[in-house]
Amino acid sequence: MSDPILVVQDLHKAYGDIQAVGGISFQIARGEIFGLLGPNGAGKTTTVSILTGLLEPDRGQISVDGISFQKMPRAVKARIGLVPQDLAIYPALSALDNLLFFGRLYGLQGKRLRERVETVLEIVHLTPRAKDPVHTFSGGMKRRLNIAVGLLHEPELLFLDEPTVGVDPQSRNAIFESVEALNRAGLTILYTTHYMEEAQRLCHRVAIMDQGQIIALDTPAALIRQWGSGLIVAGLPEEAAEGLIRHLEHWPAVKSVRRRDGRLYLDTLHTQEALMALLDTTNRLGLPLRSLEILEANLEAVFLHLTGKRLRD
Ligand code: ATP
């Protein structure tokens, strides 16, 4: 990568016996929206906490803008912003007072503080509600204020940890739009989510995380091309599966067939045709089909391919 803003090498973190992050490496290019996609417990928050200096890694190197986090933490922290998963705002204070308070914590003051507060309120479309106490805000508005706090000191790289959890669809869209507008204005973003639709819509590249590891990393389109073609998952008794595989492999609509946990995974070129082939063959051979699932070509299918699990199990 020619101009990485973030370089992460061999990051490890364990909590007792739990290896939350088990040796991950990746780079983010300047100007990217980079997704960390994985189910609950995959290690996303732990990764973000380490990359923003809230947590010490057991091992690994991090640099931002070519500056080592370990050697110059203050210089790195000045370049990064964090929007944590849990809201870090005071409900009794107005949006404006929250921002003034956090701005001062970041070392801003006077005219510069007032300008930054005004700017970030506009970015997240909260200017008309600036003077209202935060406890009167909807979940989505609180999330947007949380984002505004992370932007106060004008970071180059913003970490957004599951910013849409618990918000209604309309607010979710408002958050997407803010993220896209920020990125267009030049901000690099690391965005964690367990919603594959979000990663697919927003992210230029996605690292898929599971059990503390990055198991795939590429653009959503390339990941889907490689792993996520239409997928049919069929539950059959063990003895029936063997005979069926031999038949299905000859069908042009079926790219490949695999067995895992008592189910058949059919990677398809034409999902409809492959489905017809499957139903026709099981019918002809008198095989009992216990379950049937059809997945579109998307990141959910990629995750299922790679792990045998759904993102939201
Ligand atoms: P979520 O979306 O639920 O936040 P995540 O992908 O962010 O999931 P982490 O929160 O990083 O995952 O958790 C990774 C693993 O580490 C999980 O098994 C979790 O239970 C464990 N873990 C996280 N924080 C702690 C902690 N403070 N003490 C012990 N175990 C922890």
Side-chain angles (χ1 to χ4, degrees), residues 24 26 33-45 47-48 160-162 164 190-203 205-220 223-224 298-304 306-307 309-312:
I24 61 169
F26 62 95
I33 303 181
F34 183 93
L36 266 189
L37 174 69
N40 290 331
K44 305 181 298 293
T45 299
T47 303
V48 167
L160 281 162
D161 194 8
E162 308 226 21
T164 59
L190 185 150
Y191 189 102
T192 84
T193 182
H194 60 271
Y195 296 118
M196 67 96 191
E197 310 86 1
E198 295 189 359
Q200 216 163 299
R201 159 162 178 190
L202 285 175
C203 300
R205 287 191 309 142
V206 175
I208 299 185
M209 259 193 112
D210 189 40
Q211 298 182 355
Q213 306 283 341
I214 290 179
I215 54 174
L217 194 168
D218 215 323
T219 62
L223 287 170
I224 291 166
N298 59 26
L299 289 178
E300 179 82 41
V302 175
F303 190 76
L304 189 60
L306 292 170
T307 66
K309 297 181 298 188
R310 305 294 297 254
L311 268 164
R312 271 170 272 176

Side-chain angles (χ1 to χ4, degrees), residues 227-286:
W227 307 100
S229 49
L231 188 67
I232 298 174
V233 185
L236 286 144
E238 197 65 18
E239 60 284 3
E242 196 56 52
L244 186 60
I245 289 176
R246 280 198 299 277
H247 281 84
L248 289 169
E249 277 173 344
H250 295 298
W251 282 77
V254 178
K255 212 156 84 181
S256 67
V257 186
R258 283 179 301 133
R259 260 161 87 176
R260 191 175 200 160
D261 307 330
R263 290 183 295 178
L264 280 188
Y265 289 71
L266 276 70
D267 222 344
T268 66
L269 293 169
H270 301 285
T271 310
Q272 282 302 325
E273 273 179 42
L275 183 63
M276 295 303 287
L278 175 71
L279 295 177
D280 183 58
T281 312
T282 47
N283 206 11
R284 205 153 34 79
L285 300 177

